[in-house]
Amino acid sequence: MKKKKKEMIITCAFPYSNGFIHIGHLLEHIQADIWVRFNKLIGNKVYFICSDDTHGTAIMLKAIIKKTIPKNIIFEMYKSHIIEFKKFNIEYDKYYFTHNKENKILTNLLFDRLKHNGYIKKKICKQLYDIKKKIFLPDRFIKGKCPKCYAYNQYGDNCEICGAFYKSTELIKPKSTITGLKPIIKKTTHYFLKLFLFKKKINNWLNLKVIQNNVLNKVLEWFKKEIKAWNISRNNPYFGFKIPGENKKYFYVWFDALIGYIGTFKILCNYNKKINFDNFWYKKTKIELYHFIGKDIIYFHSLFWPSILEGSNLRKPTKLFVHGHITINNNKISKSKKTYININYYFKKKNSDFLRYYYASKLSNSIKDIEFNIKNFIEIINNDIINKLANLISRNSSFINNYYYNKLSNTLKYSKIYQIFINESKNISNLYINMKFDIIINIIMKLVDLANFYINIKKPWYLFKKKLYNNKLQMICTIGINLFKILITYLKPILPIFTFKSEFLLNTKLTWIGIKKPLLGNKIKKFKKFFHRIKLNEIL
Ligand SMILES: [Zn+2]
């Protein structure tokens, strides 16, 4: 029986408009893009969306420093992000930014629903106030000593040294970064989402296998503690959406960024009138929703986001895929600047398949950090892609090009090995679905070794020298080329450039259903070298 095709929305977490895309961000976008491409390959209907996260004080601060307005900064960054993702063949159906009209309408709508359903409360809080400027100070406009580890020069929300989160009023010896004055404590009202009311529903949802097991345990730990109401408003000055009916209050950036998932999808629907927006978000919809996120923002996606959706009477995510971070020489990316600048520079010029392949070879469904090691990178690419895969196609196609007028043989005799390769398709398909890309690469490398071994023992060059068995030589190379075809179909979601070159050479489009159909009697194109080996001095 034919399986019913699925329909799904897939997202990455929104990169902040404050900086350029680097290889750390790319891990998530590559992981998601591979998964998207695989789902498309097996015939599922996928909408892959993402946006720049544009609001908050960091953008406002940057605009002040650069003597411009936030809109200019976010637009410049948006243009650069789009170019970066294209370079790595991350194929979004829509990439946008959260500062847009649709998102504003939706943020207001969901806020209204939450309020109407009794999930929002107003509360008086104490906040730091700059008497000279006459403004409440956002967290990023205050610096002082961390109340936990006493590190100097920390912002009003969290400490970059010990990682502690605290209220700005807890900061020791706070100073306004605008006037340098000591702020006073003044009362103000804020809007809070009553998260504790969702505890039971979110717990039930989490138990539907929406998150990896090791992550689930961590989230359930949080749930054992008291869940506080979440402050979703910020005072002027702020860059974001104004709260309706308020003159000097804005929605907190995380509130409209999460709703931005819906907002970005709405933008996609505006461009593509065939998609019916309403089918995707009502509570009992069968359409699936997947979020790829880093382990640093689990809290926002396993608690805040499903609560917003639940309280607005909308559907919740089908699954969250959580991943670890990239480290270089065991440091976080921000701490190993020079190496990381070199690596980024390298990838901006070079073949993006290499980074995609390297990440795939390391990606499992765990949340462990992934070490980017340059020597290991070069070794893997040269060995797997150049020595094994490219070699398999180059040695076989050259005979077909030079002595058989580019034509493959009409039959596949003695092709037990072909059956072995086809038989892996079910297994590889399951591994893709379960995000175990590292195991897929392992299997494919074993298969390519087997293919090269097969050619080695059949010795086509020997048959050629002896001017014997002309049809046999053609058939051996045809088998070699067909084995290659299967392997590249398996790798198609990971290697778009390699696939493109292979499809051109083989004169056919590689499809998942086509795995079982060998290329026979077809004419192929003239083989040209796919890639060059990487040398260490190209990178460092
Ligand atoms: Zn600290």
Side-chain angles (χ1 to χ4, degrees):
M1 208 177 74
K2 239 186 157 181
K3 259 195 193 162
K4 208 172 166 275
K5 298 299 178 198
K6 288 180 178 179
E7 213 173 341
M8 47 178 78
I9 299 175
I10 300 174
T11 79
C12 281
F14 293 179
Y16 203 44
S17 287
N18 200 21
F20 293 100
I21 297 298
H22 57 65
I23 62 162
H25 297 113
L26 283 165
L27 178 72
E28 177 173 305
H29 296 265
I30 287 174
Q31 185 187 31
D33 185 74
I34 291 173
W35 207 66
V36 165
R37 283 172 188 264
F38 173 73
N39 274 292
K40 287 183 175 170
L41 193 59
I42 58 169
N44 289 332
K45 186 101 196 94
V46 180
Y47 305 97
F48 185 28
I49 55 168
C50 193
S51 275
D52 277 355
D53 178 8
T54 51
H55 292 149
T57 42
I59 297 290
M60 197 169 64
L61 268 176
K62 197 167 184 177
I64 293 170
I65 292 164
K66 294 204 158 186
K67 298 199 167 87
T68 177
I69 52 169
K71 267 187 194 169
N72 290 342
I73 290 186
I74 61 181
F75 198 64
E76 280 307 304
M77 227 14 120
Y78 170 65
K79 282 193 289 187
S80 127
H81 288 180
I82 284 198
I83 293 168
E84 295 299 300
F85 288 132
K86 276 226 171 91
K87 251 180 228 165
F88 287 87
N89 284 302
I90 315 290
E91 235 172 33
Y92 281 110
D93 293 292
K94 192 75 216 162
Y95 193 94
Y96 213 60
F97 43 87
T98 55
H99 191 72
N100 71 71
K101 207 176 92 196
E102 297 292 1
N103 198 29
K104 189 176 180 176
I105 293 169
L106 282 159
T107 303
N108 289 344
L109 177 77
L110 266 59
F111 178 69
D112 268 352
R113 283 196 188 181
L114 289 165
K115 212 159 72 176
H116 181 257
N117 294 338
Y119 296 116
I120 301 277
K121 66 172 175 185
K122 256 179 144 176
K123 210 174 88 178
I124 295 170
C125 330
K126 288 173 187 164
Q127 206 183 332
L128 298 179
Y129 186 83
D130 189 312
I131 351 169
K132 194 173 170 194
K133 273 272 173 183
K134 292 198 174 70
I135 52 166
F136 282 101
L137 292 164
D139 299 338
R140 295 265 144 177
F141 282 62
I142 310 155
K143 275 193 167 179
K145 227 167 138 181
C146 167
K148 298 271 153 63
C149 76
Y150 306 114
Y152 284 100
N153 256 333
Q154 297 305 313
Y155 284 121
D157 51 351
N158 86 306
C159 171
E160 282 180 339
I161 304 298
C162 73
F165 283 87
Y166 39 74
K167 287 183 196 161
S168 59
T169 47
E170 293 175 73
L171 209 61
I172 303 166
K173 289 194 178 164
K175 258 188 189 171
S176 158
T177 57
I178 313 172
T179 59
L181 294 175
K182 187 186 171 207
I184 59 158
I185 294 177
K186 202 177 163 176
K187 281 179 183 165
T188 177
T189 46
H190 277 295
Y191 290 91
F192 288 78
L193 180 62
K194 299 188 228 171
L195 287 175
F196 42 88
L197 295 178
F198 299 102
K199 204 167 171 174
K200 204 175 157 207
K201 290 236 164 106
I202 301 298
N203 234 319
N204 293 342
W205 170 74
L206 282 166
N207 281 311
L208 297 172
K209 293 195 170 157
V210 295
I211 202 163
Q212 294 111 297
N213 269 334
N214 42 2
V215 185
L216 178 67
N217 294 335
K218 195 173 162 182
V219 178
L220 294 178
E221 273 304 304
W222 290 332
F223 271 65
K224 281 182 197 153
K225 293 177 194 155
E226 187 202 350
I227 292 178
K228 288 184 183 159
W230 179 37
N231 185 352
I232 57 163
S233 58
R234 291 294 183 269
N235 282 326
N236 199 41
Y238 199 73
F239 179 59
F241 296 140
K242 253 189 192 158
I243 297 178
E246 291 281 354
N247 215 352
K248 289 183 168 177
K249 282 191 201 306
Y250 294 80
F251 288 114
Y252 174 43
V253 50
W254 263 105
F255 188 69
D256 71 71
L258 288 166
I259 296 170
Y261 287 133
I262 312 178
T264 310
F265 186 71
K266 185 73 176 63
I267 300 279
L268 172 70
C269 296
N270 293 350
Y271 280 85
N272 183 346
K273 301 283 181 208
K274 283 184 200 149
I275 312 169
N276 184 352
F277 177 82
D278 296 329
N279 286 347
F280 288 78
W281 299 98
Y282 71 94
K283 207 156 199 174
K284 298 240 154 104
T285 180
K286 290 271 184 293
I287 296 169
E288 300 178 349
L289 171 65
Y290 296 92
H291 298 299
F292 284 78
I293 58 167
K295 62 182 174 185
D296 54 323
I297 53 173
I298 297 172
Y299 206 79
F300 293 93
H301 287 80
S302 62
L303 183 60
F304 295 164
W305 179 223
S307 298
I308 294 171
L309 292 165
E310 180 67 43
S312 323
N313 231 355
L314 297 174
R315 60 95 37 81
K316 288 190 286 298
T318 313
K319 226 171 200 168
L320 310 175
F321 290 124
V322 187
H323 60 81
H325 297 302
I326 292 290
T327 58
I328 296 177
N329 306 327
N330 292 317
N331 282 313
K332 268 194 166 176
I333 282 202
S334 55
K335 288 187 184 160
S336 43
K337 273 227 159 101
K338 193 168 176 287
T339 326
Y340 135 74
I341 288 166
N342 284 336
I343 294 168
N344 277 311
Y345 183 70
Y346 169 77
F347 281 114
K348 276 177 191 174
K349 296 180 300 177
K350 292 288 178 172
N351 182 349
S352 61
D353 269 14
F354 293 167
L355 187 69
R356 294 176 65 104
Y357 185 86
Y358 183 71
Y359 279 169
S361 76
K362 307 278 171 191
L363 273 165
S364 64
N365 66 347
S366 98
I367 55 163
K368 265 191 280 174
D369 287 343
I370 292 174
E371 167 75 0
F372 186 96
N373 178 295
I374 295 174
K375 279 190 180 153
N376 177 240
F377 165 75
I378 294 174
E379 207 176 276
I380 287 184
I381 299 307
N382 284 346
N383 188 49
D384 292 8
I385 297 192
I386 316 285
N387 293 357
K388 293 180 175 182
L389 281 165
N391 181 39
L392 177 64
I393 188 62
S394 101
R395 63 205 298 212
N396 287 295
S397 53
S398 58
F399 282 110
I400 299 287
N401 287 148
N402 295 337
Y403 309 107
Y404 298 96
Y405 307 101
N406 304 322
K407 195 171 168 285
L408 299 173
S409 61
N410 289 319
T411 54
L412 271 192
K413 277 186 203 158
Y414 329 109
S415 56
K416 230 189 208 165
I417 187 170
Y418 188 74
Q419 198 56 44
I420 295 173
F421 275 52
I422 293 174
N423 288 348
E424 280 296 336
S425 76
K426 182 103 196 114
N427 185 22
I428 289 178
S429 178
N430 282 330
L431 289 166
Y432 266 121
I433 290 165
N434 293 306
M435 312 277 295
K436 294 178 179 170
F437 303 160
D438 54 344
I439 304 178
I440 295 175
I441 300 270
N442 264 328
I443 293 173
I444 288 172
M445 280 307 113
K446 280 187 187 140
L447 291 175
V448 73
D449 284 343
L450 186 63
N452 278 317
F453 177 71
Y454 172 84
I455 300 300
N456 287 347
I457 53 168
K458 294 287 175 186
K459 295 191 176 64
W461 50 90
Y462 178 79
L463 296 176
F464 171 71
K465 251 191 220 159
K466 295 255 166 190
K467 298 200 171 25
L468 284 167
Y469 307 111
N470 247 350
N471 285 338
K472 199 174 168 189
L473 171 57
Q474 187 187 18
M475 196 186 296
I476 291 166
C477 295
T478 300
I479 291 174
I481 287 171
N482 271 289
L483 298 180
F484 173 82
K485 171 183 162 267
I486 297 174
L487 295 180
I488 298 307
T489 312
Y490 290 154
L491 286 170
K492 188 170 180 174
I494 299 172
L495 301 175
I497 299 172
F498 204 120
T499 302
F500 178 79
K501 287 176 187 258
S502 304
E503 287 181 334
F504 181 78
L505 175 76
L506 301 177
N507 218 350
T508 188
K509 198 166 161 56
L510 300 173
T511 63
W512 203 260
I513 340 165
I515 287 169
K516 288 178 182 161
K517 286 180 217 141
L519 283 180
L520 297 171
N522 299 40
K523 275 201 161 183
I524 63 166
K525 298 262 171 54
K526 189 108 190 114
F527 176 78
K528 278 187 208 131
K529 198 168 192 169
F530 280 14
F531 305 124
H532 292 275
R533 297 173 66 83
I534 317 173
K535 292 184 198 108
L536 185 63
N537 64 11
E538 290 174 57
I539 307 180
L540 292 179

